Amino acid sequence: MNLRKFFEKYPDEASCIEGFKKKRLEMGIVCKKCQHTEHSFRKTDLKFQCKKCGSRISLRSGTVMENSNLPFQYWMLCIELMTLSKKSFSALEMQRILGHKRYEPIWLMMHKIRRVMSKRDEKYKLEGCIEFDEGFFERVDNKDVIDDKDDNNGDNPKQGKRGRGSERQAKVLVMVESEPSISAPKKGKPNRKVGYLKMVVMEDLKSETINKEVQKSVEKTASVLSDGYTGYSKLKEVIAKHQVVVEPDKKKSAKVFPWVNRTISNAKKVILGIHHNCINQQYVQNYLDEFCYKFNRRYFGDRLSQRLMIAALETTWY
């Protein structure tokens, strides 16, 4: 839904509480004490009471909102805004929109939602033909800059070596389903049909580390298309087929690996445009998970916010 429809449906805190309550009842609530499934709702303390043993469960319990003191309307609106935009919002911008005094609770709320996105995508494995490549994303240390504070104008306190050996670059394994297109592609479009995407921050890009991640993220029956990087030399141990294409010409390489190059480029532009490359090294994965979640559900349309809300109610934050 757009923002006008959102505020028509959820104009205040009470309507948001009612929305979360209805959704939890639809999903089903199980008593932690006696496993009974019938509950009544207490408006006085926002708890579900078991009709059999009388034990109570908070409306926030067992969800991403557990132990949070932020209003339900904040959570509802933040989920709506994060799915409404193809790109994203910085925590500072979200703080301004919500009118909250403190930055840190809003920053934490957004990262909790990103972890929900990550947990959802972890349930699925890539299959078919998959393009592989490495991406290198700018990151900062705690001592350099406060994560996600977008009012520093992207100032980079240190400049160092670029690429695979840089200490200021997060090493990311990028995998995207990419099947040859049956019909003739439109002008300017890739000749391969894109599927689902995964981006995983890696400690290193050695073959053993890559194979370990591939076993978690890719079906054994898949076939992989990659360049000649040595880290992919042992992929045949964990997948059915591995094709290596070494193409030094960048224009020709872009046609061989159209989607992995495009997704890396788009993710970098989002991080640069929204967060000015000032992402703490501990949270690079969270931002990439948000990008992948929305990319993988790019055709969901109005259903995206509802699907994320269901995922948020099924995911406990630890």
Side-chain angles (χ1 to χ4, degrees), residues 105-120:
I106 306 302
W107 175 89
L108 180 58
M109 175 177 64
M110 295 184 73
H111 274 292
K112 286 181 177 181
I113 293 173
R114 291 184 182 110
R115 288 302 299 154
V116 170
M117 295 176 175
S118 173
K119 292 290 185 183
R120 216 58 173 180

Side-chain angles (χ1 to χ4, degrees), residues 31-48:
C31 178
K32 295 179 180 179
K33 189 174 181 180
C34 68
Q35 308 302 310
H36 195 62
T37 55
E38 293 184 7
H39 291 73
S40 59
F41 187 70
R42 294 165 50 91
K43 292 184 178 180
T44 52
D45 55 4
L46 303 181
K47 291 183 178 181
F48 296 99

Side-chain angles (χ1 to χ4, degrees), residues 74-173:
Y74 278 20
W75 286 94
M76 188 84 79
L77 184 55
C78 189
I79 288 173
E80 184 68 29
L81 290 173
M82 288 179 73
T83 53
L84 189 65
S85 169
K86 284 186 177 181
K87 295 181 180 179
S88 186
F89 292 87
S90 70
L92 199 61
E93 184 65 24
M94 189 67 72
Q95 180 193 4
R96 294 190 189 107
I97 292 172
L98 296 175
H100 196 68
K101 291 182 179 180
R102 296 181 61 232
Y103 168 84
E104 287 75 13
I106 306 302
W107 175 89
L108 180 58
M109 175 177 64
M110 295 184 73
H111 274 292
K112 286 181 177 181
I113 293 173
R114 291 184 182 110
R115 288 302 299 154
V116 170
M117 295 176 175
S118 173
K119 292 290 185 183
R120 216 58 173 180
D121 272 356
E122 284 176 2
K123 294 184 176 183
Y124 310 104
K125 285 189 173 184
L126 302 181
E127 57 186 10
C129 185
I130 305 169
E131 294 178 29
F132 268 45
D133 202 359
E134 322 89 61
F136 301 93
F137 290 78
E138 199 74 25
R139 65 183 184 184
V140 295
D141 295 324
N142 288 327
K143 59 186 178 182
D144 293 333
V145 68
I146 298 176
D147 177 52
D148 201 39
K149 286 277 189 177
D150 62 355
D151 56 352
N152 57 17
N153 298 318
D155 292 338
N156 214 353
K158 294 180 182 178
Q159 295 292 338
K161 181 182 177 182
R162 301 183 62 172
R164 188 173 283 114
S166 173
E167 294 180 356
R168 295 187 53 79
Q169 301 273 355
K171 304 173 184 66
V172 179
L173 178 64

Side-chain angles (χ1 to χ4, degrees), residues 239-272:
I239 50 98
K241 184 180 178 182
H242 179 208
Q243 181 182 356
V244 178
V245 178
V246 179
E247 180 52 72
D249 187 278
K250 290 186 178 181
K251 289 185 178 180
K252 292 181 179 179
S253 178
K255 292 181 180 180
V256 177
F257 306 97
W259 287 110
V260 71
N261 289 335
R262 185 169 295 193
T263 51
I264 291 173
S265 176
N266 288 346
K268 286 183 177 181
K269 287 176 182 177
V270 168
I271 291 174
L272 176 62

